[in-house]
């Protein structure tokens, strides 16, 4: 759990906040986030004094857009928050959108619930947003379509519902950006939305069960009919003498016809061979 600091404005010039893969608990540290002046206006609050020039050349290994990357230097305008793979709970504070200079925001693999704040659409230069593997619910805010620089979006493995907005930047992402949300529908997912309100309405469970039962009964009746037919035929053959004689008579007739056909075919083949041999001798 992040402990409160006595400092009035902690980390005013911080550009990179990465505490991923730890065991922090509790709500997101809204007090800290509201005071990150270096992420509200990176150019205005950048550190230009000579004592901190080394920060421009420090090497950082960060997860950006889902990939581990090694940065050889820290640019003045580079800003990122990575709180992923912890045990943060609560909701996403709408005030996080005040950090308008953030380019990479990763809150994935926590237990954050509630709705996605529509205010995130005001983070105009955001390039990567990862909120996957949480407990977020509600619909995807249409305001996110205003993020024209957004190149990576991951909202998978949550409890989101409704139709995926089909305009702006949100229509350019693939299936894996939205997968694992049972209530979501619309492109790029294969689950179509039904109803006039454009929201997905799951079919009643009993309809699917009824359909499965009907298919199973068809196979049962086919198998039962086959067994009954064999049983009746066997009973007639064993206990009905006239039927048995007639059956054997028909079988003998069919076998005889097959035998005659085979014999005729062999004779025709012999005649053809004889004709071919005579033709060869004459030539």
């Amino acid at each position: 759990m992040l402990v409160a600091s006595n400092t009035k404005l902690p980390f005013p010039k911080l550009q990179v906040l990465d505490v991923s893969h730890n065991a922090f608990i509790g709500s997101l540290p809204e007090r800290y986030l509201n005071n990150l002046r270096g992420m509200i206006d990176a150019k205005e609050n950048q550190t230009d004094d000579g004592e901190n020039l080394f920060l421009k050349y420090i090497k950082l290994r960060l997860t950006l857009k889902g990939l581990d990357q090694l940065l050889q230097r820290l640019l003045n305008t580079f800003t990122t928050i990575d709180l992923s793979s912890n045990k943060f709970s609560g909701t996403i504070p709408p005030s996080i959108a005040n950090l308008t200079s953030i380019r990479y925001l990763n809150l994935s693999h926590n237990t954050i619930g509630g709705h996605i704040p529509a205010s995130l659409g005001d983070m105009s230069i955001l390039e990567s947003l990862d909120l996957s593997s949480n407990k977020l619910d509600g619909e995807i805010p249409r305001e996110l379509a205003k993020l024209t620089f957004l190149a990576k979006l991951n909202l998978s493995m949550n409890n989101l519902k409704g139709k995926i907005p089909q305009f702006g930047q949100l229509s350019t992402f693939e299936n894996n950006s939205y997968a694992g949300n049972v209530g979501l529908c619309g492109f790029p997912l294969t689950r179509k939305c039904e109803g006039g309100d454009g929201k997905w309405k799951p079919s009643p469970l009993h309809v699917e069960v009824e359909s499965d039962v009907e298919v199973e009964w068809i196979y049962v009746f086919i198998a039962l009919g086959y067994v009954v037919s064999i049983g009746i035929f066997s009973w007639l053959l064993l206990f009905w003498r006239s039927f048995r004689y007639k059956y054997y008579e028909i079988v003998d007739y069919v076998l005889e016809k097959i035998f005659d056909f085979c014999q005729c075919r062999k004779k025709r083949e012999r005649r053809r061979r004889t004709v071919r041999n005579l033709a060869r001798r004459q030539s």
Side-chain angles (χ1 to χ4, degrees):
M1 184 174 183
L2 293 178
V3 181
S5 170
N6 293 325
T7 307
K8 186 176 181 181
L9 295 176
F11 316 123
K13 297 184 180 294
L14 192 67
Q15 291 179 234
V16 176
L17 175 59
D18 187 347
V19 292
S20 60
H21 296 88
N22 282 287
F24 290 116
I25 61 173
S27 301
L28 294 177
E30 187 173 4
R31 176 172 175 262
Y32 289 104
L33 297 176
N34 291 338
N35 291 317
L36 296 176
R37 303 294 182 184
M39 299 187 188
I40 295 176
D41 191 331
K43 292 183 179 179
E44 180 180 341
N45 293 281
Q46 64 187 15
T47 304
D48 289 331
D49 53 298
E51 295 180 2
N52 294 308
L53 282 176
F54 76 94
L55 292 175
K56 296 184 179 181
Y57 303 98
I58 192 172
K59 291 184 179 181
L60 294 175
R61 182 172 293 278
L62 300 170
T63 301
L64 305 176
K65 299 181 181 179
L67 300 173
D68 288 338
Q69 298 184 31
L70 179 64
L71 302 182
Q72 298 293 341
R73 59 174 296 182
L74 183 62
L75 299 176
N76 290 330
T77 57
F78 180 86
T79 50
T80 178
I81 292 180
D82 190 346
L83 308 180
S84 63
S85 300
N86 281 285
K87 297 179 181 180
F88 286 116
S89 56
T91 60
I92 301 175
S95 59
I96 197 173
N98 295 332
L99 308 178
T100 53
S101 290
I102 287 184
R103 295 183 182 273
Y104 306 92
L105 178 59
N106 189 349
L107 305 178
S108 64
H109 294 88
N110 283 287
T111 56
I112 302 170
H115 294 5
I116 299 175
S119 59
L120 293 183
D122 297 330
M123 305 175 76
S124 57
I125 65 171
L126 195 63
E127 298 178 23
S128 177
L129 176 61
D130 192 344
L131 306 178
S132 62
S133 299
N134 279 290
K135 296 182 178 180
L136 297 170
D137 54 27
E139 299 184 359
I140 299 175
R142 293 173 175 266
E143 288 77 6
L144 295 186
K146 297 189 299 183
L147 302 176
T148 54
F149 286 94
L150 197 62
K152 171 72 176 180
L153 175 67
N154 193 349
L155 304 179
S156 63
M157 308 308 294
N158 279 288
N159 300 316
L160 300 173
K161 63 181 181 179
K163 185 178 181 180
I164 298 173
Q166 300 297 312
F167 54 90
Q169 203 72 355
L170 296 179
S171 62
T172 64
F173 298 105
E174 298 181 353
N175 180 78
N176 54 8
S177 294
Y178 306 101
N181 292 280
V182 179
L184 278 184
C185 63
F187 183 83
L189 300 177
T190 56
R191 188 183 300 113
K192 296 182 179 179
C193 299
E194 300 177 359
D197 56 0
K199 297 180 180 179
W200 177 59
K201 296 180 179 179
S203 302
L205 183 61
H206 72 274
V207 174
E208 297 180 1
V209 174
E210 238 175 64
S211 173
D212 294 340
V213 170
E214 286 178 4
V215 172
E216 290 177 0
W217 273 113
I218 290 174
Y219 291 114
V220 170
F221 284 130
I222 291 174
L224 185 60
Y226 178 78
V227 171
V228 171
S229 300
I230 295 295
I232 293 174
F233 178 79
S234 301
W235 185 86
L236 292 174
L237 198 61
L238 291 173
F239 301 103
W240 194 351
R241 184 178 298 177
S242 58
F243 177 81
R244 184 164 63 248
Y245 289 157
K246 189 66 176 176
Y247 171 73
Y248 289 146
E249 185 180 339
I250 293 173
V251 171
D252 289 341
Y253 175 77
V254 172
L255 292 176
E256 185 179 347
K257 287 296 182 182
I258 294 174
F259 179 77
D260 291 342
F261 175 78
C262 293
Q263 291 299 321
C264 291
R265 190 172 180 180
K266 288 180 180 178
K267 289 179 181 178
R268 284 197 298 270
E269 187 62 32
R270 285 199 207 100
R271 283 198 293 268
R272 287 196 191 111
R273 260 198 247 104
T274 303
V275 170
R276 282 198 297 269
N277 291 334
L278 289 173
R280 288 174 186 169
R281 288 173 188 172
Q282 291 176 357
S283 61

